[in-house]
Amino acid sequence: MDSQPSIERNRVRFIDRVRFQLGGGLIFCALGPIAARTSIESSSFYLPATFNTAVLATLAIIIGFAIFRNVKTFPGAVPSTFALSTFATTFALAMIVPLILRIEYSWTQFLFHFAATMTFYGLVERRSGTAISLRFAVIPGGTVKRLPDLPNVHWHRLARYDDAISNVHGVVADLDTDHSAGWDAAMTRYLLAGFPVYHWKQLIEQLCGTVEIEHLSENHLGALNPNRLNIKMKTVIDFVLAAIALVVLSPIMLLIALIIRLESPGPAIFKQERTGFRAKTITVYKFRTMRNDHLTESGDAMARRLSAITQSNDSRITRVGKFLRKTRLDELPQLFNVLKMEMSLIGPRPEAVSLTLWYEQELPFYHYRHIIKPGITGWAQINQGHVADIDDIKVKLAYDFYYVKYFSPWLDLLILVRTLVTAVTGRGAR
């Protein structure tokens, strides 16, 4: 079996690629603009502003690269788009430092650093952004027969435990079932040869960004419990960011409220009872996007359910409301819900109470999505958009469970960036 040399070659190639991306970026993006400036003005090399600006740019590149490498592992992280968004953010934050510390810096040099960084990493990720074809060896037994057909993924099903494998990214098995002694020995042999062995459900979660719910049982729910320390830190960060956002965005929010009142009669803010943290009912605030005479929750359960569902090209939506929904600006008043600590900036979207009562009757473990605070935006929203049918809700719940299970600051950062992209493109809006 020649797997060990191939594994070692792949490891070396990975390390070399990381060194090139970081080292090459620092040389081209950090040192390049300094060399260009000093070739024109040689005395500038000794100026404090030149040194300070170069240090800030270098930190922005290193931190941006570290963030990008962590977030890139999540499903749905488009490398080229997220790389540019990440470096744009770190450079923007770096520019705050000289303003706070009152140190000398050069605007023009900083812009050259930024332009060089965007050019270098944009070209690198565009060149390496082609779809990667993955190949996994599959050990028979258990529930691996449920492995789905995925684009750019090939399942090589093994027939005998003494089969040699090569040119695969790993081995897949149902680790919850009892295998024969021969297959147990084979898995050990594959591990020692450098091939990772994945439980097939966990691998599908990482490839698809969902947690399977069709065959979920009470025994699996413990794996979905989020880290409590992360939850507490997230609450503090949510509160601070929401307070800052309300101060900065208050003029825009007042203008939106005025335009809504001018277009159609009724209040600018729409209030709706939704299911929040630990399945408790909360009042969620949104900018009104529908005609006021259609906003009612009276009548029987079916009428309230139909009223809570927004259909494609819904006739109740106003002209201003259509724009607000497309850009997600109608969600801005929910910053007050975040300040009240009823919601988070990022998490599973809260559903109307009438819909929750319906979903919990049709879907097993639906209420488990409420073990963390609901969010203004979330993993399901950026991957699926607005849904209402039961079949679509099953998929949405799979995305929600993935977020609960793999919740981290890196995943939140990915959701935030993709939300901004969605706000610009309007994908998934109704």
Side-chain angles (χ1 to χ4, degrees):
M1 183 183 299
D2 61 350
S3 57
Q4 188 64 39
S6 64
I7 291 294
E8 182 64 22
R9 284 197 299 270
N10 290 335
R11 187 183 70 84
V12 172
R13 288 173 183 171
F14 173 78
I15 295 175
D16 289 342
R17 186 164 57 251
V18 172
R19 287 175 177 172
F20 167 74
Q21 292 180 353
L22 180 57
L26 291 175
I27 293 174
F28 180 78
C29 308
L31 299 181
I34 298 177
R37 183 181 180 186
T38 54
S39 64
I40 300 173
E41 186 183 355
S42 59
S43 60
S44 64
F45 182 82
Y46 302 98
L47 296 176
T50 302
F51 176 79
N52 295 338
T53 306
V55 170
L56 291 173
T58 301
L59 291 175
I61 294 171
I62 295 175
I63 295 174
F65 184 81
I67 293 174
F68 173 66
R69 294 299 306 179
N70 279 277
V71 177
K72 191 178 179 180
T73 59
F74 286 105
V78 181
S80 57
T81 300
F82 197 81
L84 299 181
S85 302
T86 302
F87 288 113
T89 302
T90 55
F91 268 84
L93 294 175
M95 282 306 302
I96 300 177
V97 175
L99 299 178
I100 296 177
L101 300 181
R102 302 287 184 176
I103 61 176
E104 297 183 46
Y105 67 98
S106 170
W107 266 102
T108 55
Q109 181 184 330
F110 196 84
L111 289 176
F112 277 119
H113 286 298
F114 176 69
T117 301
M118 299 296 274
T119 301
F120 179 82
Y121 286 102
L123 292 175
V124 168
E125 291 306 324
R126 183 176 181 181
R127 184 175 179 179
S128 61
T130 55
I132 300 176
S133 180
L134 300 175
R135 179 180 170 88
F136 295 96
V138 181
I139 293 177
T143 56
V144 292
K145 59 185 178 181
R146 297 209 307 265
L147 281 170
D149 292 330
L150 299 175
N152 301 317
V153 177
H154 175 70
W155 308 115
H156 172 59
R157 299 184 182 272
L158 301 174
R160 294 175 53 85
Y161 54 77
D162 56 354
D163 286 347
I165 61 174
S166 61
N167 298 322
V168 297
H169 294 84
V171 179
V172 183
D174 181 357
L175 300 182
D176 289 335
T177 193
D178 292 328
H179 292 89
S180 67
W183 281 117
D184 287 338
M187 280 189 272
T188 302
R189 188 171 69 251
Y190 297 145
L191 282 170
L192 294 176
F195 295 104
V197 177
Y198 302 101
H199 181 49
W200 77 270
K201 288 186 178 181
Q202 294 177 341
L203 180 64
I204 295 302
E205 290 174 7
Q206 292 304 313
L207 293 175
C208 301
T210 60
V211 169
E212 184 189 49
I213 64 172
E214 292 295 335
H215 303 276
L216 193 67
S217 67
E218 290 85 350
N219 294 332
H220 296 116
L221 294 181
L224 299 179
N225 286 324
N227 184 286
R228 293 187 177 275
L229 178 60
N230 287 342
I231 292 294
K232 292 180 179 179
M233 293 177 58
K234 182 180 173 69
T235 300
V236 175
I237 294 174
D238 283 336
F239 184 88
V240 173
L241 293 181
I244 295 174
L246 280 172
V247 173
V248 175
L249 298 175
S250 56
I252 297 177
M253 295 176 66
L254 290 173
L255 178 61
I256 292 174
L258 177 61
I259 294 175
I260 293 173
R261 292 296 303 273
L262 292 176
E263 185 193 28
S264 61
I269 300 295
F270 170 60
K271 301 178 183 179
Q272 187 179 48
E273 298 298 307
R274 297 198 177 189
T275 306
F277 182 47
R278 293 176 178 169
K280 296 179 180 178
T281 301
I282 61 174
T283 301
V284 172
Y285 310 109
K286 296 182 67 175
F287 281 123
R288 180 171 58 85
T289 58
M290 295 184 178
R291 297 193 302 276
N292 194 50
D293 56 335
H294 285 284
L295 297 176
T296 177
E297 295 191 13
S298 59
D300 57 20
M302 179 61 73
R304 291 194 299 270
R305 183 193 307 169
L306 293 175
S307 176
I309 298 176
T310 304
Q311 305 295 335
S312 298
N313 300 317
D314 200 309
S315 61
R316 300 173 295 173
I317 300 176
T318 63
R319 289 177 299 176
V320 173
K322 186 175 182 180
F323 171 78
L324 294 178
R325 285 173 173 265
K326 184 176 181 180
T327 57
R328 301 300 197 274
L329 292 175
D330 62 319
E331 312 282 2
L332 287 180
Q334 290 170 42
L335 291 171
F336 289 105
N337 290 108
V338 178
L339 281 185
K340 293 169 65 177
M341 297 188 179
E342 298 172 333
M343 290 179 61
S344 173
L345 294 175
I346 299 172
R349 286 289 295 144
E351 296 287 358
V353 173
S354 56
L355 293 178
T356 299
L357 295 175
W358 177 33
Y359 296 152
E360 67 178 345
Q361 295 175 0
E362 301 290 334
L363 300 174
F365 315 117
Y366 180 77
H367 266 316
Y368 207 79
R369 73 193 294 270
H370 299 126
I371 65 172
I372 62 175
K373 291 182 181 179
I376 298 177
T377 185
W379 185 240
Q381 280 60 48
I382 63 173
N383 284 286
Q384 193 182 25
H386 181 90
V387 297
D389 295 335
I390 284 294
D391 289 340
D392 292 333
I393 291 297
K394 288 182 180 179
V395 178
K396 181 179 181 180
L397 189 59
Y399 282 118
D400 286 337
F401 278 9
Y402 179 88
Y403 177 78
V404 173
K405 185 174 182 178
Y406 293 101
F407 153 72
S408 70
W410 306 116
L411 184 55
D412 278 0
L413 183 59
L414 172 60
I415 294 172
L416 179 60
V417 172
R418 288 189 58 187
T419 297
L420 296 176
V421 174
T422 301
V424 174
T425 60
R427 176 182 174 271
R430 286 191 182 180

